[in-house]
Amino acid sequence: MASKINLDITDKLDITCRQGDTFELTLTLKDSSGVGLPLLTNDYSFLMQVRGSSQSASNLRIPSPQPGSEGLIIGSAELGAKSKYNFTFKDVDNSGNVTVFLSASDMRGVPNGRFKYDFQYKVGDTHRTLLEGTFKVNSDVSKAIS
């Protein structure tokens, strides 16, 4: 008989992006056979949140969270997170593709620093966390192009 079982399928992926640049990350979700998931047909919902960490080290810059946000830096309006900046999910298809998007104008307002994030999906009664890791935002030197 087995003595352990691990139901955590979450992969670690660290992300580095730039303040003021458009954030676009395309993911392809596949089943155990390597076939893309039917995201449209099965009506998948997505959630990605970036949060400050309460366990800050000297190399982390954690901004003061807004009251009631519990350190939420970027949210996802699709599943009810309320944040000043929210990821959207576009180019969703039945081959398992989804693009996580945040506009350049919103990214200008995201503070530079190192944060934690995760990416989840929900379909029917199933809710899974697929990715987690560090979300590093490098500061931008140039100001917005008109």
Side-chain angles (χ1 to χ4, degrees):
M1 178 177 264
S3 62
K4 286 187 198 179
I5 187 164
N6 184 355
L7 299 176
D8 187 355
I9 63 166
T10 307
D11 282 328
K12 183 167 175 55
L13 177 68
D14 294 334
I15 297 172
T16 301
C17 55
R18 182 161 295 279
Q19 193 178 41
D21 287 0
T22 302
F23 181 91
E24 279 187 288
L25 174 64
T26 300
L27 303 168
T28 303
L29 310 182
K30 297 180 180 182
D31 65 17
S32 59
S33 302
V35 177
L37 297 175
L39 302 178
L40 287 175
T41 301
N42 290 346
D43 197 25
Y44 279 69
S45 298
F46 303 97
L47 172 69
M48 184 163 165
Q49 293 184 348
V50 176
R51 292 182 179 272
S53 171
S54 60
Q55 300 174 357
S56 60
S58 59
N59 63 337
L60 301 182
R61 179 185 176 274
I62 307 300
S64 300
Q66 296 176 349
S69 69
E70 299 175 7
L72 187 63
I73 308 298
I74 308 172
S76 293
E78 283 79 356
L79 292 180
K82 294 183 180 176
S83 174
K84 185 175 181 180
Y85 308 109
N86 288 303
F87 290 113
T88 57
F89 305 95
K90 62 182 196 170
D91 303 328
V92 180
D93 64 27
N94 280 327
S95 296
N97 297 306
V98 57
T99 299
V100 183
F101 178 84
L102 190 65
S103 71
S105 61
D106 283 349
M107 279 298 295
R108 270 192 290 284
V110 174
N112 66 304
R114 180 177 267 165
F115 312 101
K116 298 281 186 192
Y117 85 94
D118 69 11
F119 173 82
Q120 305 173 11
Y121 74 77
K122 182 178 184 288
V123 59
D125 291 333
T126 301
H127 196 145
R128 295 249 194 282
T129 302
L130 296 179
L131 296 172
E132 69 176 357
T134 300
F135 191 90
K136 183 179 176 190
V137 181
N138 291 332
S139 60
D140 201 2
V141 175
S142 299
K143 298 302 173 197
I145 300 172
S146 299

